[in-house]
Amino acid sequence: MSEANSKTTNLTLDLEDGWVFTQLSGNNRNQPSNRGTDTGEWLPTKIPTGVHEELLKLSRIPDPFVGLNEHLVQWIGEETWAFQTKFTITAEMHALPNVDLVFDGLDTYATVELDGKKVLETNNMFVPYRVPIKDALSFSDAATEHSLLITFHPTFLKGRSLQRENADKTPAAIRGGGSTGGAGVMQGASNQIPGPNGELALWNGDASRLHIRKAQYHYGWDWGPVLMCVGPWKPIRLESYQLRIAEMRTEVDIPETLDNATVKVSAELAGASSKALTATLTLTEPVSKTETHSTVEIASGANSVQLEVQISDPKLWHPVGQGQQSL
């Protein structure tokens, strides 16, 4: 676990090291050359990672990219897994008004517990999640130890369940691609949409993938194996702050003369400052490294800020045959 990095009123603790993981279901079907963990066995790891990756490094499963080995490891995506760590919140982090747990990516259905209490449930591997935990922490002017447990539920089984639940909500139609192939190909012999188990038309892979916000190629593609990946696939960190940029939007206005440009940046702020602050926007020309600046004052308690910069003779991206494509 790395040291907290500070910027005046912002502190970040990256939760990379000190993790362990285990298999919570299906331990009884483990085989010597194709297995997860024994009951109660926790294996050390660091994140980001995934269960397949970890078991392969430990030579507990056959390489799914060799031959037809992918068929031997499908059980991984049908079991429940857990990742756990402990971390320390310093006195300096406690002193700040906001403390958030930030998950950049969890794959896919997960329950997150902080000190034994559920703080988050996820259902989308593409979406980052931010959990304010300040209220859940007891006030302390000293460092405190905490535990974090993430339980990953089998996404494949959840998809099949959603497929059945949604079957009656989908208007019936005749499959357009026919039974011999095409874009209408789906599982089962039925020519009806949805199929007998709620299947919708799709090109390849299990039809239940259409109900899940997960990388669709995990269900198999013409160029890759079926691997129902599971785990914390992106970084996790603790952020303690007084004020932060929550959202940012950029607009560029260019007149018909193309000889200047106005870059407008607006930012939504989370948290609050008891005193006025300044925000500075800096644009750097990539070749000459020339910088253009704009600075505005952020009033005490403000939750947004807008800045703009004027650029003369901007380097534009032109259509083919009409000019340069500047980057």
Side-chain angles (χ1 to χ4, degrees):
M1 197 171 297
S2 64
E3 294 290 328
N5 300 314
S6 67
K7 285 188 177 179
T8 58
T9 56
N10 290 55
L11 295 164
T12 299
L13 180 67
D14 293 322
L15 303 180
E16 300 174 336
D17 302 319
W19 288 82
V20 291
F21 79 101
T22 192
Q23 179 182 349
L24 295 180
S25 66
N27 311 78
N28 58 340
R29 68 178 184 182
N30 282 341
Q31 302 174 9
S33 60
N34 189 11
R35 65 192 182 97
T37 67
D38 295 328
T39 302
E41 179 186 22
W42 291 82
L43 300 174
T45 185
K46 62 185 300 183
I47 66 167
T49 191
V51 171
H52 291 81
E53 179 180 349
E54 293 301 317
L55 296 180
L56 186 59
K57 286 191 295 187
L58 295 169
S59 299
R60 293 201 173 199
I61 60 172
D63 188 339
F65 296 98
V66 174
L68 298 178
N69 285 346
E70 63 180 289
H71 300 300
L72 302 177
V73 298
Q74 292 309 306
W75 60 272
I76 294 175
E78 299 175 9
E79 304 299 349
T80 302
W81 302 85
F83 286 74
Q84 183 173 269
T85 191
K86 292 183 178 180
F87 61 92
T88 299
I89 299 180
T90 65
E92 292 79 10
M93 300 185 88
H94 274 295
L96 291 169
N98 301 283
V99 182
D100 295 352
L101 272 171
V102 182
F103 305 86
D104 284 342
L106 298 176
D107 186 6
T108 293
Y109 283 85
T111 300
V112 180
E113 297 176 59
L114 175 67
D115 298 333
K117 297 180 180 179
K118 182 171 69 175
V119 295
L120 175 67
E121 286 190 303
T122 73
N123 60 6
N124 191 326
M125 75 170 285
F126 307 111
V127 173
Y129 293 89
R130 178 179 290 269
V131 184
I133 63 171
K134 181 71 174 183
D135 292 342
L137 302 173
S138 300
F139 173 78
S140 176
D141 56 3
T144 56
E145 192 85 7
H146 300 272
S147 64
L148 184 63
L149 174 67
I150 309 175
T151 303
F152 290 91
H153 312 286
T155 299
F156 178 75
L157 301 184
K158 179 63 176 179
R160 283 290 182 90
S161 176
L162 289 172
Q163 180 175 266
R164 291 189 294 270
E165 289 177 21
N166 293 326
D168 295 336
K169 304 174 186 177
T170 306
I174 299 299
R175 181 170 55 186
S179 59
T180 58
V185 172
M186 66 180 182
Q187 295 172 320
S190 172
N191 204 41
Q192 189 80 12
I193 300 175
N197 294 308
E199 302 96 333
L200 297 175
L202 77 165
W203 179 253
N204 65 316
D206 193 271
S208 65
R209 68 177 171 82
L210 301 177
H211 301 268
I212 300 295
R213 294 301 297 138
K214 177 178 176 64
Q216 298 291 275
Y217 61 84
H218 288 180
Y219 291 80
W221 222 257
D222 54 357
W223 47 262
V226 179
L227 291 176
M228 292 297 292
C229 302
V230 54
W233 75 290
K234 284 190 173 183
I236 299 173
R237 63 188 176 277
L238 190 73
E239 291 185 1
S240 187
Y241 59 92
Q242 185 171 19
L243 190 69
R244 68 179 179 88
I245 297 175
E247 301 285 346
M248 191 162 66
R249 177 176 176 174
T250 302
E251 298 180 17
V252 180
D253 293 331
I254 302 175
E256 292 184 3
T257 56
L258 305 182
D259 59 356
N260 68 88
T262 302
V263 179
K264 300 177 181 179
V265 175
S266 58
E268 298 298 320
L269 308 177
S273 174
S274 58
K275 60 182 181 180
L277 302 173
T278 59
T280 300
L281 170 64
T282 301
L283 294 183
T284 304
E285 203 283 322
V287 177
S288 66
K289 306 301 180 183
T290 301
E291 293 185 348
T292 306
H293 304 272
S294 175
T295 300
V296 299
E297 184 176 286
I298 305 175
S300 171
N303 57 13
S304 65
V305 61
Q306 293 78 37
L307 305 96
E308 66 177 57
V309 167
Q310 301 288 334
I311 301 175
S312 299
D313 189 25
K315 305 297 186 292
L316 304 177
W317 179 281
H318 293 85
V320 174
Q322 297 186 31
Q324 296 293 319
Q325 291 81 44
S326 301
L327 288 176

